[in-house]
Amino acid sequence: KAGVTQTPRYLIKTRGQQVTLSCSPISGHRSVSWYQQTPGQGLQFLFEYFSETQRNKGNFPGRFSGRQFSNSRSEMNVSTLELGDSALYLCASSFTSGRYNEQFFGPGTRLTVL
Amino acid sequence: SQELEQSPQSLIVQEGKNLTINCTSSKTLYGLYWYKQKYGEGLIFLMMLQKGGEEKSHEKITAKLDEKKQQSSLHITASQPSHAGIYLCGAALITQGGSEKLVFGKGMKLTVNP
């Protein structure tokens, strides 16, 4: 079974631009969560989607948004990029939403904002 | 909000040595996940603990959750270079909607010298 895939793996943008990252979950998984990882803040939860609905949201500004499609694939969008948005963005999929569902992580997208 | 503190922040050991990583929570843990991350890559699931006093082992790695469910330890026996990486503990938080999100510690960087 193929793992979680994320595209692109690396991205360089300039301040003020917007970016869209993509995540394809493991086949059969319906929940996708997004995380931001930086050296200073560590790994922080962005949001979770389940059956095309956002179930959970972390403490990030409205510039960060996401969506999930009927095939469970998910996209994350960041508008008006800032230097501080440079990070490794990880998505994780699980079979369902709820308690004690093992989350399988993708390799991440490394975003650099210049 | 729940916070996780990991100690030590980094560790350098000689191959063959045993080591222990700690993860301490500011609140009672409902579920505690251990993940391993190679630099700049996704997270690999190691173990999940739920019950106070629970202990799980996989190959040379043993994880324990204390009775009070506020501290977990990860012990590696006879370390090998393949054990090198960043070890992250994550606490399961149940949201109002009944879904689960993970709050992570800052990670512990392990270097194993041959």
Side-chain angles (χ1 to χ4, degrees):
Chain A
K1 200 181 246 188
V4 178
T5 58
Q6 291 188 244
T7 56
R9 291 293 311 277
Y10 302 92
L11 206 49
I12 299 175
K13 291 285 186 179
T14 56
R15 280 182 298 175
Q17 287 187 309
Q18 76 162 14
V19 67
T20 299
L21 311 180
S22 180
C23 172
S24 292
I26 291 172
S27 177
H29 284 193
R30 295 165 62 194
S31 171
V32 174
S33 297
W34 287 90
Y35 295 84
Q36 181 197 65
Q37 187 176 35
T38 59
Q41 298 298 317
L43 198 57
Q44 293 185 291
F45 173 80
L46 280 158
F47 28 65
E48 179 204 2
Y49 285 88
F50 178 73
S51 294
E52 301 178 68
T53 302
Q54 188 181 86
R55 290 206 69 183
N56 232 328
K57 193 176 188 321
N59 296 322
F60 279 82
R63 300 185 297 108
F64 292 82
S65 62
R67 58 177 175 168
Q68 187 180 34
F69 302 95
S70 58
N71 62 358
S72 294
R73 189 178 69 85
S74 177
E75 286 183 347
M76 190 192 97
N77 184 275
V78 188
S79 62
T80 319
L81 284 166
E82 300 177 0
L83 294 177
D85 296 333
S86 294
L88 181 67
Y89 289 89
L90 295 162
C91 83
S93 77
S94 58
F95 180 69
T96 184
S97 185
R99 306 185 74 165
Y100 312 129
N101 283 295
E102 180 185 341
Q103 295 189 24
F104 295 82
F105 282 78
T109 293
R110 168 101 30 209
L111 171 65
T112 302
V113 181
L114 303 177
Chain B
S1 62
Q2 184 150 26
E3 292 183 358
L4 293 178
E5 186 170 328
Q6 289 188 239
S7 63
Q9 291 184 329
S10 64
L11 197 56
I12 301 173
V13 299
Q14 207 64 32
E15 183 176 0
K17 293 293 185 184
N18 302 335
L19 63 109
T20 300
I21 307 165
N22 293 305
C23 176
T24 303
S25 171
S26 57
K27 298 182 180 180
T28 301
L29 293 160
Y30 289 99
L32 189 285
Y33 294 79
W34 282 101
Y35 284 90
K36 178 187 173 186
Q37 183 181 30
K38 289 286 190 182
Y39 179 74
E41 297 182 7
L43 277 62
I44 300 168
F45 172 79
L46 294 174
M47 274 169 274
M48 192 267 282
L49 304 165
Q50 294 173 236
K51 302 174 184 175
E54 186 175 10
E55 179 176 321
K56 288 185 177 178
S57 293
H58 178 67
E59 297 180 342
K60 294 185 178 181
I61 300 177
T62 300
K64 301 177 185 178
L65 183 61
D66 74 340
E67 289 290 344
K68 292 183 179 180
K69 297 174 66 176
Q70 284 195 269
Q71 185 169 46
S72 178
S73 62
L74 188 81
H75 183 79
I76 299 176
T77 304
S79 58
Q80 300 169 350
S82 61
H83 287 127
I86 298 170
Y87 289 81
L88 293 133
C89 61
L93 293 184
I94 307 303
T95 68
Q96 284 185 332
S99 64
E100 177 179 288
K101 67 177 184 181
L102 296 179
V103 173
F104 286 92
K106 292 287 179 70
M108 196 290 288
K109 183 179 178 182
L110 175 63
T111 303
V112 181
N113 290 327

